[in-house]
Amino acid sequence: MGIPTGQILNLIAVIERDVQLLDGGKWDDEIWISKDLTEAYLSILNTVESFNWTKWKRGIDAIQSDSDFEDFSEDELLKALYAIFRGDRFTQGIWAKYLSNGTIVKILRKIIERRGQQ
C-alpha cells in the first residue's frame, strides 16, 4: 500500500494524545477530537478505494465484536477504518467510541505488523 508507515505512526500518536486529553470524559462527545487527528485520519482514508461498506458484513462484524483482525489483509484493515468513519454519519459517536476504546489504534498497529511480516 502507498501509505508510509511514518504516517500511520503519526496518526497513532495523535490519537493517543487526544484520548489521553479526554481523561475519562464522555467518548460520544466528539468535541475532543482535534483537527490534527481528523486531518491525519482523513489523509489515510483518502487512499481507500470506495466500496459498499454498509454491506461488508465481515468488516462490520469484526469491528463490533472487538476482533483482533488477525486474518485481515492490509486492504481490509484500511476498509475497516473507512467503515468506522463512514458509520459515524449514521450513528453519531461511533468514530469517537472506536478512537477512545483502542479499536482504531489496534487496526493501525495491525497494518504496521502486517508490513513487518512481508
Side-chain angles (χ1 to χ4, degrees), residues 40-56:
Y41 198 91
L42 289 175
S43 72
I44 288 176
L45 291 190
N46 286 336
T47 68
V48 179
E49 194 170 315
S50 286
F51 69 105
N52 190 345
W53 64 271
T54 61
K55 299 207 185 267
W56 187 44

Side-chain angles (χ1 to χ4, degrees), residues 37-110:
L37 192 159
T38 302
E39 289 175 355
Y41 198 91
L42 289 175
S43 72
I44 288 176
L45 291 190
N46 286 336
T47 68
V48 179
E49 194 170 315
S50 286
F51 69 105
N52 190 345
W53 64 271
T54 61
K55 299 207 185 267
W56 187 44
K57 184 168 174 35
R58 172 177 154 78
I60 301 298
D61 288 349
I63 292 163
Q64 292 175 342
S65 69
D66 193 30
S67 168
D68 62 5
F69 300 94
E70 198 58 43
D71 59 344
F72 276 57
S73 68
E74 183 170 333
D75 184 56
E76 290 174 312
L77 292 166
L78 290 168
K79 285 180 176 182
L81 295 173
Y82 182 91
I84 290 169
F85 189 79
R86 295 289 294 147
D88 192 67
R89 184 172 191 173
F90 300 97
T91 307
Q92 187 174 9
I94 289 294
W95 186 43
K97 172 185 175 181
Y98 291 121
L99 282 166
S100 63
N101 77 4
T103 299
I104 291 173
V105 168
K106 179 177 15 178
I107 294 168
L108 292 167
R109 289 190 194 284
K110 189 59 70 176

